[in-house]
Amino acid sequence: MKDLIEFIVRSLVEKPEAVIVTETEGEQATVIEVKVADEDAGKVIGREGRIANALRILAKAAGAKDRKRVTVEIITKEERRNG
Amino acid sequence: MKKLAMKGKDVKEAVNAASKVLGKGIDEIEYRVINEGKSGVLGVFGGEDAEIEAWGKTSPGEEAKNILQEILDKLGLMAIAEKKRDENGEIELNIKGEDLGQIIGKDGATLKALQTVMVAIIGNIYKEKIRVYVDAGGYKERHEKALERLALDAAKDVEESGKEKVLPPMTAADRRIIHICLKDSDKITTYSQGEGADRRLVIAPK
C-alpha cells in the first residue's frame, strides 16, 4: 500500500525526492503518512481536497483484502530556514 | 519505459546507434548522457567512449497507459490497462481483468479516484490540460447510457407536462453527461441548483 501511495505522489509533484511515505500498521487500522515539500502540498491535496480524497480511496482499495481501516494523512514539511 | 544503454565514439554516434537499435528516427527518441567521452591522444590512446541511455519517445496516451498499469499492479489487482483512444488532447483508457468489481468500487468510487489521480499525474507530466478518461470493462459506458436514458425520459416528461423536473443529486461528471445529452433540445433547458453533494440538475421547459 505504501508503494502505491509513494508511486502516485512522486508522479504528482515537482520534487519527488522530497516525498516521504511511512506506513504504520495498527491492529485495526493502517495509517499512511505522506510528507511532501511545502510547494507541492497543493498538488497532493488538490482542489477541494479532491486528490487527497482519491488517495484515500485507492489506499482503501489496496487494503481491502485485509479489511482494515486505512487513513492517509498529508503532512507538509516544515521548511528549515537558515538565519 | 524500456531504456537502452549505448556506447559510441562520441555522443552523436551513440545516439545514432541507439536510434537504429530502437528502430526509431533520431527525432523519435530521447536520451540522457551518462558519459560525454574523451577523444584521447591521437584519437586512439586513453580515449573513453561516450555513453548514453536512450528510449523511445512516448505519447501522452502511451505514458498514461503505462502509469495506470503500474498503479493497478501496486494495487495488487489482476488487471490490464489498455489505451482505447488518444487524440485531440483526450485519452481514453480501459481496464480489463478479473477484479473489475474491486476496481470500480462502490458507485464507481474507486474508478473515479483512479481517473482523478491519472488526470493529475498526466497534467503534471505534460503541463497542459489533457482529458483522461478511465473505464473498467465498459462500466462507465453502461453508466452513461443509463444516465442518457434517464435524461431523455425526464426531458419527455417536462415537454409533455410543461413543468420543470429536479433530478436526484449527482456528481459534476454525471450532471455534465445529462447536460450535454439535452443541450440541443429546442423545447427544454437544463441548469444546476444546490450546493456540494446535494447539487442537482433541473430540466425546465424553454
Side-chain angles (χ1 to χ4, degrees):
Chain A
M1 201 182 317
K2 183 187 161 219
D3 267 12
L4 169 77
I5 299 300
E6 199 166 67
F7 172 72
I8 296 174
V9 173
R10 289 221 161 116
S11 310
L12 279 173
V13 299
E14 294 297 324
K15 285 190 170 172
E17 68 279 3
V19 174
I20 300 168
V21 179
T22 52
E23 183 174 341
T24 313
E25 215 165 310
E27 292 226 332
Q28 276 128 37
T30 303
V31 178
I32 296 178
E33 275 188 6
V34 180
K35 289 185 188 165
V36 298
D38 272 358
E39 62 265 43
D40 281 329
K43 290 196 151 183
V44 181
I45 295 166
R47 198 153 41 94
E48 293 168 18
R50 207 174 286 175
I51 311 269
N53 196 33
L55 287 175
R56 283 184 194 109
I57 290 171
L58 292 178
K60 269 180 201 151
K65 281 166 194 148
D66 43 8
R67 293 182 183 280
K68 268 189 196 167
R69 233 153 41 87
V70 183
T71 57
V72 178
E73 286 168 22
I74 291 154
I75 297 163
T76 52
K77 224 182 227 171
E78 280 173 17
E79 251 180 20
R80 205 177 291 161
R81 293 177 207 279
N82 296 322
Chain B
M1 200 182 318
K2 220 161 84 184
K3 288 184 177 169
L4 171 78
M6 187 58 74
K7 286 183 177 181
K9 212 167 61 204
D10 51 28
V11 170
K12 199 178 156 201
E13 202 187 89
V15 172
N16 280 328
S19 114
K20 285 210 183 78
V21 173
L22 290 169
K24 291 173 185 289
I26 298 281
D27 54 351
E28 289 171 330
I29 65 168
E30 287 178 324
Y31 63 92
R32 183 173 76 88
V33 177
I34 296 168
N35 187 344
E36 292 271 0
K38 288 185 202 136
S39 56
V41 181
L42 302 172
V44 182
F45 303 108
E48 247 179 60
D49 277 350
E51 210 180 327
I52 62 155
E53 196 175 54
W55 57 90
K57 265 186 201 166
T58 44
S59 64
E62 203 56 29
E63 188 72 10
K65 188 195 85 179
N66 293 341
I67 291 169
L68 180 60
Q69 185 65 58
E70 186 135 10
I71 292 175
L72 292 171
D73 292 346
K74 288 186 193 303
L75 270 165
L77 301 172
M78 299 284 282
I80 292 170
E82 61 176 7
K83 187 180 71 183
K84 280 183 79 182
R85 208 162 61 88
D86 178 11
E87 54 192 4
N88 310 326
E90 289 197 350
I91 298 168
E92 256 182 64
L93 302 169
N94 183 45
I95 302 168
K96 293 191 296 195
E98 302 278 314
D99 301 325
L100 289 188
Q102 211 180 330
I103 290 163
I104 294 163
K106 190 165 174 280
D107 294 331
T110 309
L111 188 59
K112 211 177 129 205
L114 274 176
Q115 170 159 324
T116 301
V117 160
M118 286 304 301
V119 169
I121 292 176
I122 296 302
N124 187 44
I125 295 175
Y126 294 97
K127 308 293 176 210
E128 55 182 306
K129 182 85 183 164
I130 298 174
R131 279 187 184 276
V132 185
Y133 300 97
V134 183
D135 199 353
Y139 166 83
K140 264 180 27 188
E141 214 175 301
R142 287 195 300 279
H143 179 67
E144 276 174 28
K145 288 264 151 48
L147 282 175
E148 282 168 10
R149 270 198 306 275
L150 170 80
L152 294 172
D153 281 354
K156 204 166 150 233
D157 282 354
V158 172
E159 273 174 37
E160 283 168 4
S161 69
K163 282 186 205 145
E164 63 175 42
K165 191 164 182 154
V166 184
L167 298 181
M170 279 175 203
T171 62
D174 284 0
R175 291 196 311 272
R176 185 167 182 265
I177 290 166
I178 295 183
H179 173 74
I180 288 172
C181 172
L182 298 178
K183 75 175 169 28
D184 292 330
S185 165
D186 47 7
K187 294 185 184 112
I188 52 111
T189 180
T190 59
Y191 65 93
S192 291
Q193 67 177 29
E195 292 302 320
D198 197 44
R199 200 157 163 82
R200 298 153 187 258
L201 199 81
V202 181
I203 302 176
K206 255 187 186 164

